[in-house]
Amino acid sequence: MSTFCDNISYINDQINALDGTGESDVETLLQNLDTLEEQFSQMAELTVPDQFATIDNLADEASENMSMAVSYYHEAYDSGEFNPNYADAAYEYYTRANTRLGYILQILHGEEIIDDNVTYITEDNESDTQNEK
């Protein structure tokens, strides 16, 4: 996971270094986004230890969202004329992917996810639930 985070950080730096004025900035952006999609896809394919089983679904969702984001970013730029509607959709999926990545990192660091929209079961909660029956 450390390599993944290093790669994501590097790609993020490359994207943030673009100022939008260069002739090849759009091409470079899309290439970096393609690489980002590959990284998320590879992360989703990793085998997850049982104690982190929740991460498996989050990784799949993050990968799917990043794939949609990259697809929409390509649509936004590929027609020759920038399409802000596709860019907005792309950004929404990009945000969803990164939110799920944030949850994954919180779980790996042993932190509790504080989000009303997210429920996950830890081993402690699972054993408590079984003891209550």
Side-chain angles (χ1 to χ4, degrees), residues 5-58:
C5 288
D6 290 344
N7 291 344
I8 297 304
S9 179
Y10 175 79
I11 295 165
N12 184 55
D13 290 345
Q14 296 299 305
I15 290 172
N16 288 329
L18 299 171
D19 63 9
T21 60
E23 269 185 43
S24 63
D25 280 2
V26 169
E27 183 179 329
T28 302
L29 171 65
L30 295 175
Q31 288 172 348
N32 280 307
L33 289 170
D34 290 342
T35 304
L36 192 60
E37 179 182 11
E38 290 171 17
Q39 291 295 310
F40 271 74
S41 178
Q42 289 173 6
M43 176 196 59
E45 293 175 11
L46 295 174
T47 302
V48 179
D50 288 341
Q51 75 249 34
F52 298 114
T54 304
I55 291 174
D56 197 32
N57 287 339
L58 286 170

Side-chain angles (χ1 to χ4, degrees), residues 9 13-14 18-19 30 34 37 45 55 60 65 72 79-80 88-89 91 98 100 104 108 111 115 117 125-126 129-130:
S9 179
D13 290 345
Q14 296 299 305
L18 299 171
D19 63 9
L30 295 175
D34 290 342
E37 179 182 11
E45 293 175 11
I55 291 174
D60 289 342
N65 280 294
Y72 277 118
S79 68
D88 289 345
Y91 183 73
N98 283 298
R100 281 154 181 78
I104 290 168
L108 289 175
E111 299 170 12
D115 186 329
N117 298 316
N125 291 344
E126 194 172 290
T129 304
Q130 290 175 355

Side-chain angles (χ1 to χ4, degrees), residues 90-110:
Y91 183 73
E92 177 64 32
Y93 280 107
Y94 181 83
T95 301
R96 290 177 188 179
N98 283 298
T99 298
R100 281 154 181 78
L101 176 57
Y103 295 153
I104 290 168
L105 294 174
Q106 284 179 280
I107 292 168
L108 289 175
H109 289 130

